[in-house]
Amino acid sequence: QDGDNPQFLPLLDQISVHRDGLGRPRSRPDSVIADKAYSHPSTRQAMRERGVWFTCPEKADQIARRKAKGSAGGRTPAFNEGEYRLGNVVERCFARLKQLRDLATRYAKRAAYHAAELTLAAIVLWLP
């Protein structure tokens, strides 16, 4: 009920990206593409502190508040529209996963079972 944004940073801490060569997995992505739900200034600040390129459009009320402050409102956050359009691939993947009734309704009560179902569904979608 709290929304997606409070869960964003804990989720980001769980990332593990395998390296091609030797060494431990990376725990920090190069960039993150997010929708307007994640455009809170604290989230942008956390991404800057972590050194992650953050592509997220601003909400209309945040733009209005920044402009109302005038020069004290700061500059517009960087936004790469071309990179933001790549997020559509992820959204389409979620839409295909939601077509699988078991995943969409989450019949599995344990998180480990749900993760296993998600892994199997991703493999099935990857194969054809």
Side-chain angles (χ1 to χ4, degrees), residues 86-98:
L86 296 175
N88 184 14
V89 174
V90 177
E91 296 296 331
R92 285 185 283 149
C93 177
F94 281 128
R96 288 196 62 194
L97 287 171
K98 286 180 183 178

Side-chain angles (χ1 to χ4, degrees), residues 39-54:
S39 70
H40 195 268
S42 64
T43 305
R44 292 183 186 278
Q45 179 64 32
M47 294 293 100
R48 273 193 298 274
E49 290 172 358
R50 294 170 186 233
V52 177
W53 180 258
F54 188 59

